[in-house]
Amino acid sequence: MTPKQDSPNSDSDSRARAVVIGGGVCGLAVAMRLGQSGRYAPLVLETEAKPGGLARSLDFKGVSTDMGPHRLHTEIPEVYDLISEICAPSLIQVKRKSRIFLRGKFMAYPPEPISALMHLGFVRCGRFGLSMLGEAIRRGGEETYESLMRGAFGPAMYDFMLRPYTAKVWKTDPRLIHADTARVRVSAGSLAKLVTGVFRREKKGEETSLKEFRYVRGGIKTLVRHLLEHAEEAGAELRVSRPVTKIELRPEPGGAGGSS
């Protein structure tokens, strides 16, 4: 489906115009829901030449590579249902296999207890444990991403592995990331859970890390394509290469600040 460059809205009904700034995944989902409500005729303005934002796939020598999100996973039921609704024809289930390059070797991520001990050594892992206990004693004050992760894994492991990993993946100083981001990760795993994993097998449905995830055939661009199709079916219009330079807010006649 080819996005419109600059054409007037074809709706002739009395629905109110709703302008959505940004044609990324969130913008397209908002436009779709606004259109489905029957009250609005959404117009999506995207500054790039195509929609998707960070959720896009790049083609290099015949190989498609995702630049942004590379798996579909959420703990929010409404988002899960939305993905199932719009991507049903393309959804597949994939087993997770993630590796990080650390100390000259590839190691499973999230770390697996035995392989972590073999890869990092007993002395360093022991230092991680003592660091976590010390942080638990000292812990207090404002909760931030960094304080929560340091509390869950200890300062030594956080500085050695998690802080540089977070900065690389998020392209942001971890001190600037919201604490809620850490709460999701801490609820899924910690150094204590990693250690207990040596002695007991996780029960199905209670895993501390994601073993499988849903994906869309053809790359994350398929998710964007499905979203755009559903948004346009709901009456939304997409205009690409249209950067927004200014927003003017005008009171409605009869409203607060308006004339009667």
Side-chain angles (χ1 to χ4, degrees), residues 86-162:
I86 66 173
C87 295
S90 306
L91 278 178
I92 56 176
Q93 196 78 9
V94 180
K95 288 187 177 181
R96 178 180 182 179
K97 186 177 181 181
S98 299
R99 298 288 184 269
I100 61 173
F101 192 68
L102 186 64
R103 299 183 68 207
K105 295 181 180 179
F106 284 98
M107 186 176 73
Y109 190 87
E112 297 170 353
I114 300 299
S115 65
L117 281 172
M118 299 300 294
H119 187 84
L120 300 175
F122 287 89
V123 174
R124 177 174 277 110
C125 289
R127 192 182 304 130
F128 290 162
L130 292 174
S131 174
M132 185 194 72
L133 291 175
E135 181 68 15
I137 296 173
R138 293 190 302 268
R139 191 176 175 187
E142 181 184 3
E143 284 193 339
T144 64
Y145 176 90
E146 187 162 285
S147 70
L148 289 173
M149 295 299 282
R150 285 168 67 94
F153 294 93
M157 187 173 186
Y158 174 77
D159 291 334
F160 177 75
M161 181 188 300
L162 300 175

Side-chain angles (χ1 to χ4, degrees), residues 53-243:
L54 293 177
R56 64 178 61 183
S57 304
L58 306 177
D59 294 319
F60 179 73
K61 294 184 178 181
V63 178
S64 181
T65 303
D66 290 339
M67 187 181 78
H70 52 276
R71 62 175 176 261
L72 303 179
H73 174 69
T74 179
E75 297 177 355
I76 304 174
E78 293 81 3
V79 176
Y80 185 94
D81 293 340
L82 174 62
I83 293 174
S84 301
E85 172 190 340
I86 66 173
C87 295
S90 306
L91 278 178
I92 56 176
Q93 196 78 9
V94 180
K95 288 187 177 181
R96 178 180 182 179
K97 186 177 181 181
S98 299
R99 298 288 184 269
I100 61 173
F101 192 68
L102 186 64
R103 299 183 68 207
K105 295 181 180 179
F106 284 98
M107 186 176 73
Y109 190 87
E112 297 170 353
I114 300 299
S115 65
L117 281 172
M118 299 300 294
H119 187 84
L120 300 175
F122 287 89
V123 174
R124 177 174 277 110
C125 289
R127 192 182 304 130
F128 290 162
L130 292 174
S131 174
M132 185 194 72
L133 291 175
E135 181 68 15
I137 296 173
R138 293 190 302 268
R139 191 176 175 187
E142 181 184 3
E143 284 193 339
T144 64
Y145 176 90
E146 187 162 285
S147 70
L148 289 173
M149 295 299 282
R150 285 168 67 94
F153 294 93
M157 187 173 186
Y158 174 77
D159 291 334
F160 177 75
M161 181 188 300
L162 300 175
R163 182 174 56 79
Y165 178 82
T166 301
K168 180 179 180 180
V169 171
W170 291 80
K171 302 294 188 294
T172 303
D173 186 333
R175 291 173 296 183
L176 303 178
I177 299 176
H178 198 278
D180 286 347
T181 305
R183 290 191 182 95
V184 174
R185 282 153 178 74
V186 170
S187 67
S190 66
L191 183 58
K193 291 179 180 179
L194 179 64
V195 172
T196 57
V198 177
F199 305 102
R200 67 177 179 86
R201 184 183 298 272
E202 292 180 325
K203 296 180 181 179
K204 186 174 180 58
E206 298 180 2
E207 297 89 346
T208 58
S209 61
L210 190 64
K211 300 295 192 299
E212 291 186 339
F213 59 91
R214 296 190 301 170
Y215 191 64
V216 281
R217 287 188 178 90
I220 205 67
K221 62 185 178 185
T222 305
L223 169 63
V224 177
R225 175 171 59 82
H226 284 311
L227 270 173
L228 178 58
E229 290 172 348
H230 281 74
E232 291 187 331
E233 287 175 3
E237 177 187 347
L238 170 68
R239 297 184 187 177
V240 297
S241 301
R242 296 302 300 271

Side-chain angles (χ1 to χ4, degrees), residues 10-22:
S10 58
D11 287 336
S12 58
D13 56 31
S14 58
R15 293 188 298 171
R17 170 68 90 188
V19 178
V20 179
I21 300 176

